[in-house]
Amino acid sequence: MNFYIVDVFAESKYAGNQLAVFCGTGVAELSEAQMLLIAREINYSETTFIRSPDRRNNGYDVRIFTPKKELPFAGHPTLGTAFVLQQEIIGEKVDRVILNLAVGQIPVTFNYRNQSADILWMRQNSPNFGQVLSAKTLATVLNLEPDEIDEKFPIQEVSTGVPFIIVPLKTIAALKKAKVNSDKYFELINTTEAKEILIFCPETYSDINDLSVRVFADSLGIPEDPATGSANGCLAGYLVNYGYFGQDAIDIKVEQGYEIDRPSLLLLQSQRTNGEIEVLVGGKVVMVAKGEFV
């Protein structure tokens, strides 16, 4: 099997979120257990498997694994896999690549600069809004004080395919300070559909960005994720739904991964149209390595 390593939501190599993408004739023969073993061997937050180089229903069948389990959808694996498909399998400029994932077909569109793929955009499902949680509970989970959480906006489960608990903070000092209390975290997720937590604040490391974000995913074997497209898609819907920026549409830059030395940049666009919230998440993908599994 051929494999490719790409950095997703990265402005340059060795930043963003790492992804291993497998393709080739051997991939179709892999069992679910074998794919999970390979994902554990790679030990990135996610590894993807392109099941066939041929399209089905105009899309490519792809499966996504963390070191612990298969996911129905994830953001940076979707962009990174689409990039590998365009670069290595399709081999020419295309406007769009569709991935057939467990949540359905997810389209990825390409913008090019000097004939090279530049910004990739994925359209996520319209967000669903679930349980609202208390500041006191999340403060305990995150080792924060309740007054460090922004009470003007709810703590809520949101999903565009995979649910996340969205937690608004007031300052970047609180964002930096946050640290998951494992016992309280696992106690909490026994009562929630969402098992991962996104925290965000309006203060940023870089003046050109609009929000700073961290994502904790201990239930997936990922203590902290450097760039999370699925979670930021949920955040985009949340921001529009609650008018965080005082309007029904956003076009913003979000930074993530600074606390773990993997600076990442995610582009979020969202708007409410005919009662539905549309969500787009974009970013760059950089090829880092190519190889072969034997």
Side-chain angles (χ1 to χ4, degrees), residues 246-268:
Q247 53 194 22
D248 279 343
I250 61 167
D251 184 356
I252 63 172
K253 295 179 178 180
V254 173
E255 61 187 30
Q256 187 182 335
Y258 282 70
E259 293 79 10
I260 53 174
D261 298 322
R262 296 288 302 190
S264 307
L265 181 65
L266 301 95
L267 309 178
L268 307 186

Side-chain angles (χ1 to χ4, degrees), residues 156-198:
Q156 189 169 22
E157 295 181 84
V158 184
S159 177
T160 61
V162 174
F164 289 83
I165 299 168
I166 307 297
V167 183
L169 302 182
K170 294 178 180 177
T171 67
I172 198 166
L175 187 93
K176 293 177 181 179
K177 172 185 168 184
K179 183 179 180 181
V180 172
N181 179 323
S182 292
D183 291 342
K184 294 296 183 181
Y185 165 80
F186 283 103
E187 182 181 316
L188 170 67
I189 65 174
N190 283 330
T191 67
T192 59
E193 180 186 3
K195 309 304 179 188
E196 291 75 54
I197 300 172
L198 178 149

Side-chain angles (χ1 to χ4, degrees), residues 4-138:
Y4 303 88
I5 294 174
V6 293
D7 287 338
V8 185
F9 300 121
E11 297 297 288
S12 60
K13 286 183 179 180
Y14 318 127
N17 205 345
Q18 301 148 303
L19 176 72
V21 181
F22 284 81
C23 63
T25 55
V27 173
E29 301 168 5
L30 293 174
S31 67
E32 182 175 316
Q34 288 172 319
M35 286 186 277
L36 182 57
L37 284 173
I38 292 169
R40 288 175 180 165
E41 179 73 13
I42 296 295
N43 206 35
Y44 292 162
S45 54
E46 282 100 2
T47 296
T48 64
F49 299 86
I50 300 169
R51 300 293 280 171
S52 171
D54 301 318
R55 291 187 300 171
R56 182 178 63 83
N57 296 332
N58 292 318
Y60 294 88
D61 291 344
V62 174
R63 296 179 72 173
I64 303 170
F65 285 81
T66 76
K68 282 197 171 183
K69 67 178 185 178
E70 184 171 10
L71 294 181
F73 170 72
H76 93 273
T78 297
L79 286 191
T81 304
F83 178 83
V84 170
L85 280 163
Q86 185 270 326
Q87 293 280 302
E88 302 294 333
I89 293 178
I90 300 170
E92 61 184 15
K93 287 176 64 176
V94 292
D95 293 330
R96 185 171 76 157
V97 172
I98 297 173
L99 271 59
N100 299 330
L101 303 177
V103 295
Q105 291 195 315
I106 301 293
V108 177
T109 57
F110 288 72
N111 292 337
Y112 294 87
R113 177 180 294 179
N114 299 326
Q115 304 301 310
S116 298
D118 185 32
I119 304 294
L120 281 65
W121 290 93
M122 64 182 145
R123 181 176 297 278
Q124 298 187 11
N125 295 332
S126 183
N128 294 315
F129 296 89
Q131 180 179 182
V132 173
L133 303 166
S134 75
K136 182 178 179 181
T137 297
L138 267 296

